[in-house]
Amino acid sequence: VLDALNAMFGRAAYDITHFEDRSDEDLMELLTTVGVENGELHQALRAGLRNPRFGAQDFVLIESEAMDVVGAVLTLVHRVRGLIDE
């Protein structure tokens, strides 16, 4: 539901779950999620730019995928912040 609302309003969100008790495997999953989301953004860009009549639908898809990348990166950054050992 939140993802749908974010898409509807052109927003990005990220998970701020506390990661202190999470494993290194969870960190690797976040890293690969960033890669997957980035790949989906590039696929949307490629498809849109190949369209001889680039339109609003092409842009909406690109924007949506870009927001997914932003959310994935910010979730990763939040997780890495939890690694601070002071």
Side-chain angles (χ1 to χ4, degrees), residues 29-73:
E29 184 177 342
L30 288 173
L31 283 169
T32 58
T33 297
V34 169
V36 167
E37 296 297 350
N38 195 34
E40 290 174 359
L41 170 61
H42 284 91
Q43 287 176 336
L45 277 167
R46 182 179 183 189
L49 295 175
R50 283 185 166 182
N51 186 350
R53 295 187 52 131
F54 183 84
Q57 291 288 66
D58 297 305
F59 176 75
V60 166
L61 180 59
I62 291 167
E63 182 180 43
S64 173
E65 295 300 343
M67 294 298 179
D68 289 346
V69 171
V70 169
V73 168

Side-chain angles (χ1 to χ4, degrees), residues 11 19 22 27 30 39 49 54:
R11 300 268 187 178
F19 291 105
R22 299 286 179 89
L27 179 57
L30 288 173
L49 295 175
F54 183 84

